Amino acid sequence: MMTTELTQGAVESRDGTRIGYWKTGRGPAVVLVHGSMESGRSHTLLAEALADDFTVYLPDRRGRGLSGPHRADHSARTEVEDLDAVLAEADATMAFGVSAGGAVVMEAARTSPALHKVAVYEPALVADGAAHRVWLARFDEEIARGDLPGAMVTSMFGLQMAPAFLKVFPRRMLVRMTEKMLLKEERGAAADTVTMRQLAPTIHQEGVIIAELAGSFDKMRAVDADVLLMGGSKGLPILRPGRDTLEKVLPHCRRLEFDGLDHGSSSDPGGVNPRGSAQAVGRIAAEVKAFFEQS
């Protein structure tokens, strides 16, 4: 639980959509960009660890919580424009991003001169986006007919986030397990919680962004910002080759791999991160804080 106060604010993105955020701390501004199946408050522990030295902004990416809806033509450019609006409001030159949010931060660093320092944890940059376009079609069909648990299972395998042991389970069983997980979270959720059931439809846009930015590594040579590139030894195997390539192409990059941490380790425990811990967040926060404090 946070011991520092969170306040709300909002800005308008370039297309007029409201982008809401939570804010805490004091000092130079840092914007934290969450990943898939998360909202701005998914990084409250990380924000608290930074709040004594930085003013931390926690935006809800479009389609979640305090922010407005996605539009039909949603793209990586839309995400960057949303982030640009928050950076301008905060007068921020530093940002952190994880997973799909990390991919957005990297694209913003490539296109937005405002960013001088970026820290990313397991950014969702891959070599080939074709596989994501395939699972997205089935995901959309399942969402359209109201089979949200089924769509979540489809996306879990499509994004290659499923642990190996789950591949032996019948799909019908996985769908039932997912529905039970959603109901359990809803029974214990506070009134203002952005639940997994509410977040699930946003996975479509995550797939779109990952597919669009796939294979963009050479373009990242243009990133002028200092980059702290992080991952975990137990993170998603599909994302490690991307970090290997980014380390080679980024002009100003420090690589850091955390032994024993997984893909969700920067986020608060709970939701899609049941194995998370405050200790894991603390390990990442210490490195992020030291990186942002460097002149």
Side-chain angles (χ1 to χ4, degrees):
M1 180 179 295
M2 285 198 70
T3 57
T4 51
E5 182 184 3
L6 281 172
T7 59
Q8 292 183 24
V11 293
E12 280 194 4
S13 191
R14 184 174 181 178
D15 66 0
T17 298
R18 171 192 167 95
I19 304 299
Y21 59 80
W22 300 90
K23 177 182 174 183
T24 189
R26 59 188 179 187
V30 174
V31 179
L32 308 185
V33 185
H34 63 78
S36 304
M37 289 296 289
E38 294 186 328
S39 66
R41 293 177 70 176
S42 297
H43 282 88
T44 53
L45 289 177
L46 180 57
E48 184 171 41
L50 299 175
D52 284 345
D53 300 283
F54 300 96
T55 302
V56 185
Y57 287 74
L58 298 157
D60 281 331
R61 289 171 56 209
R62 193 175 291 225
R64 303 155 175 89
L66 303 176
S67 294
H70 293 103
R71 295 192 174 187
D73 60 350
H74 188 81
S75 67
R77 183 68 239 164
T78 313
E79 295 269 355
V80 170
E81 289 172 355
D82 294 349
L83 176 54
D84 282 346
V86 179
L87 291 170
E89 173 75 6
D91 193 23
T93 62
M94 299 178 288
F96 166 90
V98 59
S99 193
V104 171
V105 168
M106 288 306 307
E107 181 66 5
R110 184 182 73 82
T111 59
S112 303
L115 281 172
H116 298 167
K117 282 180 173 287
V118 299
V120 288
Y121 186 82
E122 300 232 338
L125 291 171
V126 297
D128 183 7
H132 296 288
R133 297 183 181 94
V134 172
W135 70 259
L136 271 172
R138 179 171 183 172
F139 176 89
D140 290 344
E141 291 173 0
E142 288 165 336
I143 289 290
R145 65 171 183 261
D147 183 11
L148 192 143
M152 290 178 66
V153 171
T154 294
S155 68
M156 179 175 63
F157 284 102
L159 292 167
Q160 299 187 35
M161 298 184 72
F165 74 89
L166 285 182
K167 296 178 181 179
V168 303
F169 282 71
R171 179 184 171 88
R172 189 173 300 175
M173 181 182 296
L174 293 175
V175 172
R176 288 200 300 268
M177 290 167 58
T178 301
E179 177 61 26
K180 289 181 180 178
M181 177 182 67
L182 295 174
L183 291 171
K184 181 179 179 180
E185 184 202 31
E186 288 167 338
R187 283 195 296 267
D192 61 347
T193 299
V194 184
T195 65
M196 287 188 285
R197 195 182 298 275
Q198 293 169 322
L199 290 168
T202 67
I203 298 173
H204 170 90
Q205 285 76 21
E206 305 295 80
V208 168
I209 292 165
I210 293 170
E212 180 184 348
L213 294 179
S216 61
F217 296 107
D218 276 346
K219 294 180 180 180
M220 295 299 166
R221 297 181 189 276
V223 173
D224 193 47
D226 290 331
V227 179
L228 177 61
L229 178 62
M230 298 174 287
S233 66
K234 295 183 179 180
L236 294 182
I238 189 177
L239 299 182
R240 181 176 286 273
R243 296 199 297 281
D244 293 341
T245 304
L246 281 173
E247 184 180 15
K248 295 174 183 176
V249 302
L250 289 169
H252 315 287
C253 177
R254 179 192 169 207
R255 175 81 177 271
L256 183 60
E257 295 289 319
F258 293 91
D259 185 48
L261 297 193
D262 63 17
H263 186 64
S265 289
S266 70
S267 306
D268 296 356
V272 292
N273 187 33
R275 295 186 300 275
S277 70
Q279 291 77 15
V281 175
R283 291 174 63 188
I284 296 171
E287 296 292 343
V288 172
K289 181 178 178 180
F291 172 69
F292 285 148
E293 286 178 337
Q294 293 170 357
S295 58

